[in-house]
Amino acid sequence: MISFRSFHIRALVAAKSGTSGSAAATAATATSATSSSSSAVVSGVSHILKTPHELRVVQVQIVHRHGDRTPITPLLNESYWASELVPDELSQRVASSTTILRDDSPHKILHLAGGRGPFGKLTQLGLLQMVQVGTELREQLVLEEHRHDDATISHTIDEHGHVHWNRGRLFCAATNPLHPSKIKVMSTDFPRTIQSVQGTLVGLFPDPADTIATPITVDARHTNHLIPDPQPRQSVEQEELERSLGSRPHLRAVETTMKDLAMQTTQSLRHLLGDDAFAVSFGVGEENDDKNGTTTTTTTKRTKELKKKLSWAQLSEITKCLQTRDMLPASITPEMQQAISKHTAWRWFENLRHPRLAFLSMNTMAKTMIVQAMHDRIEELAGGGESSTSDDVPLLYLYSAHDSTLIGLLCAFRLEQPAEWPEYGSYFKVELIEAKPLTGDDEGAAAAVQYLVRFSLNGEVLRCKWEDCDEALHMIPVDLLSHYVSTKGATSLE
């Protein structure tokens, strides 16, 4: 059931945007992307657990991409793109139940992907998408119905004899309801990601009384750790490694075959570009070389060559924004746009799959944020904290970030590559599952408790395959995951 609050905000967005055609289809796609079946959520259990177990989800971490946005690359007709943004009144209403923590350092460097003016900002359609994402996440996280006189109502038994508490959900409305005190929210310090998570929270907490009484803090102080391509990079080694990986023969060979597509698309877009379009630079392996301060003839020539065409990241994001609004130039076919997006994704995965680059770019988030949060929860449970009532360690983490974040984490955790680039509103889920054997005495069962981690993207379970693993795993013991994240790629010798 959609609450009045969620419905009201959706209606406001729809009324102000007048979305139709491809934009409406995009909103529908976002909704379907967040739908998942219970069979997908419980897959892979029997592969790890050979005897029946009681399975309880004790923590969930969600990393979602922001919703639909305007192009980051400046285009002409700024007034049109400004009209696509979330109106101030609606933005203030959505933001009213949150407080933002920011790094107020005067030396903070703004990322070029943040955009200028109306560019790189969340649209009205994007806000609607994120409210829908929040609503779908609530359905996946909270077991709404429960009868105390029949405990089996809240649990299910699968074909292998495993008992799934709360039907695989983290919260139960009757015994352990979702509440703002049980959630921790982080975001990159971009307007579009902050507004996106505020929209997600509207769908996640449909009763406004929840967040009015307990406003939710959004921590936006860790941007450089939530993306693989901070500006500047976290280390000189990462900068040099990106350049080195980009010059590999097989990548250069593919670039040669794709050059004509890049040039043709750039020419088709040139009449739409703003004066500073070529000054925008973002993406792993796509930063402009002239930012490095090199003044040799070779570098100067390369810089001039780069300015003759847009980077792949720019080509992908501009054509996607235009396609969503049925505004692609006739000379750019849907097949061309798909080829551009596919190649851009291939480049990102090809670079970030390198163990050392994955470590340098995403290890802080993967290890000290995501994995450490799981260890904190396990330690709390071991100390007597009840998984159904304890609020000291957050049960739910919500990170609002970017497609680059999702791709970076997929590579950092060695997960199988999805078939398509993560669309607006895509979400990556990390579940911590407590597994207790159903056979034997209570003392023996307690000693045999395992903690397993399961990954999924938009409801589809992703298997992880580490370098020295014999097979891909649907779930992985948390201690093994912690070992891999701490050691794989940790040295430049690998």
Side-chain angles (χ1 to χ4, degrees), residues 123-143:
T123 65
Q124 301 168 57
L125 171 62
L127 179 61
L128 173 61
Q129 288 174 336
M130 299 317 295
V131 174
Q132 292 173 325
V133 167
T135 300
E136 294 289 342
L137 287 176
R138 182 179 179 88
E139 293 176 358
Q140 294 181 26
L141 293 168
V142 182
L143 180 63

Side-chain angles (χ1 to χ4, degrees), residues 141-158:
L141 293 168
V142 182
L143 180 63
E144 298 286 0
E145 70 274 15
H146 179 75
R147 283 174 27 201
H148 291 284
D149 59 339
D150 188 357
T152 62
I153 293 296
S154 60
H155 309 312
T156 57
I157 302 176
D158 65 27

Side-chain angles (χ1 to χ4, degrees), residues 17 42 93 131 141 158 172 210 215 226 254 277 325 330 353 363 374 472:
S17 64
V42 301
R93 186 178 304 180
V131 174
L141 293 168
D158 65 27
C172 177
D210 289 339
L226 299 180
V254 174
R325 294 161 178 81
R353 286 287 185 197
N363 189 256
M374 290 188 276

Side-chain angles (χ1 to χ4, degrees), residues 83-139:
S83 70
E84 291 282 286
L85 305 184
V86 181
D88 289 342
E89 179 184 356
L90 182 57
S91 179
Q92 292 169 8
R93 186 178 304 180
V94 173
S96 62
S97 59
T98 62
T99 57
I100 312 299
L101 291 180
R102 280 194 167 94
D103 176 8
D104 296 323
S105 169
H107 305 293
K108 183 174 68 173
I109 299 176
L110 297 179
H111 200 291
L112 290 177
R116 65 154 180 84
F119 299 108
K121 304 301 188 295
L122 193 72
T123 65
Q124 301 168 57
L125 171 62
L127 179 61
L128 173 61
Q129 288 174 336
M130 299 317 295
V131 174
Q132 292 173 325
V133 167
T135 300
E136 294 289 342
L137 287 176
R138 182 179 179 88
E139 293 176 358

